[in-house]
Amino acid sequence: MTAKIIDGAAIAKKLQQDIALQIEKRRAQGLRAPGLAVIIVGENSASQIYVSKKRKLCQELGILSKDYNLSANLEETELLKLITTLNNDQTIDGILVQLPLPKHIASTKVLEQILPDKDVDGFHPYNIGRLAIGQPALRPCTPKGVMALLESTGVDLKGLNAVVIGASNIVGKPMAMELINARATVTVCRSTTRNLSAITKQADIIVAATGVAQMVKEDWVKEGAIVIDVGINRLPNGQLVGDVDFDKVKEHAGWITPVPGGVGPMTVVMLMANTLYAAEVLHR
């Protein structure tokens, strides 16, 4: 068996086209464009690249983009003041603070300063709580993107055994909630889980989000399983790989996402989808 490739880049492109069309319709009705504010503190090169992609996509889709590139020495109080100003800005539907923040700034305090209806990253406790009770509003972007990838397979998730490897607040935990809401039976593991391969071997769906390069091996995967690779790691030779040993696992799985070109493009487009949702539904 050779797995079918879940082409995240192609699926994301289609979603981008749908979002652009919806925004065009808004403008034709005399409504303002959705607005997204992106705050980056410091000179993290990976964050700069990611933010530049978001800015470019905003321009392509017709979303108003406001960018704030701030000094790494910025005081926490000043960042909180900026967020308050953006909370009160009626042209802004979403506020994104790029993580990680400098150590002297408390990420939790900053994320909780964002109004829940402008929390397009979906990290505010209010939005996580709504996801947990099955009444989501703004959903965390990467798990939301993974659910769209799973939907693209046409496989009914109800009753399937799903294993999420990783328990971060950004991916692992909300990913488990998304799968629970889809009525799958969910097990959450970590890289340190005992007998991890024995657990994954029973899974119909594996979502790998550990940050450990090529950790998931062929003999961890049940034949025909759906394997979603959230990880992105750079090997010493410069090659980008995921948390799954792609070349070997693809010969065993039923469906699999590549790295790059799988989950990554979906995360960015779901940020745009959340911004549009905030404008259309939450700030109507």
Side-chain angles (χ1 to χ4, degrees):
M1 171 181 289
T2 300
K4 297 177 182 178
I5 304 300
I6 305 175
D7 189 343
I11 296 168
K13 189 68 176 176
K14 175 62 169 61
L15 290 171
Q16 289 172 28
Q17 293 169 352
D18 292 344
I19 292 169
L21 182 60
Q22 291 179 65
I23 292 173
E24 187 178 329
K25 288 180 179 179
R26 279 180 61 85
R27 300 300 296 272
Q29 294 168 0
L31 300 174
R32 62 174 179 81
L36 174 65
V38 178
I39 301 171
I40 183 169
V41 183
E43 300 295 331
N44 184 292
S45 58
S47 293
Q48 293 283 358
I49 292 170
Y50 191 49
V51 168
S52 69
K53 290 181 180 179
K54 294 171 184 174
R55 184 183 304 118
K56 181 175 182 291
L57 189 54
C58 281
Q59 293 172 348
E60 291 176 1
L61 300 183
I63 293 175
L64 169 68
S65 177
K66 292 187 178 181
D67 302 311
Y68 299 85
N69 295 286
L70 308 174
S71 167
N73 298 319
L74 181 77
E75 294 293 332
E76 182 183 275
T77 53
E78 292 304 310
L79 179 55
L80 296 176
K81 286 179 183 178
L82 173 59
I83 292 172
T84 297
T85 298
L86 294 170
N87 281 338
N88 294 323
D89 186 341
Q90 295 186 1
T91 68
I92 294 298
D93 297 290
I95 303 169
L96 183 146
V97 179
Q98 186 65 34
L99 302 177
L101 290 169
K103 292 182 179 180
H104 69 280
I105 298 177
S107 298
T108 299
K109 184 184 294 186
V110 168
L111 295 177
E112 290 183 1
Q113 185 76 5
I114 301 170
L115 287 176
D117 60 7
K118 294 194 176 188
D119 167 42
V120 287
D121 252 340
F123 295 158
H124 193 285
Y126 173 86
N127 286 318
I128 293 295
R130 291 206 53 143
L131 180 63
I133 63 172
Q135 298 179 13
L138 290 169
R139 298 155 59 192
C141 297
T142 297
K144 182 178 180 180
V146 170
M147 295 307 294
L149 293 177
L150 290 171
E151 182 181 352
S152 75
T153 67
V155 175
D156 186 355
L157 306 186
K158 293 176 184 176
L160 296 187
N161 290 322
V163 171
V164 178
I165 313 174
S168 70
N169 291 333
I170 294 173
V171 179
K173 292 176 184 176
M175 188 72 251
M177 294 181 214
E178 288 278 8
L179 288 163
I180 288 169
N181 290 341
R183 301 178 67 182
T185 300
V186 183
T187 302
V188 179
C189 300
R190 302 173 183 270
S191 59
T192 55
T193 298
R194 295 179 182 178
N195 301 317
L196 177 55
S197 62
I199 297 171
T200 60
K201 188 73 173 179
Q202 304 302 313
D204 302 301
I205 303 166
I206 297 173
V207 180
T210 66
V212 179
Q214 299 177 321
M215 176 181 177
V216 177
K217 305 298 183 184
E218 180 184 8
D219 60 359
W220 289 30
V221 179
K222 180 171 71 173
E223 187 170 339
I226 303 173
V227 180
I228 305 291
D229 193 346
V230 179
I232 185 161
N233 313 278
R234 191 174 294 278
L235 298 179
N237 64 5
Q239 180 186 1
L240 284 177
V241 299
D243 294 353
V244 175
D245 189 351
F246 178 84
D247 288 338
K248 294 181 179 178
V249 172
K250 73 177 182 180
E251 302 301 325
H252 202 63
W255 298 82
I256 192 169
T257 58
V259 175
V263 175
M266 298 297 293
T267 298
V268 181
V269 78
M270 287 305 173
L271 173 67
M272 304 301 155
N274 278 352
T275 303
L276 176 60
Y277 175 84
E280 290 270 272
V281 178
L282 304 180
H283 305 148
R284 183 178 299 174

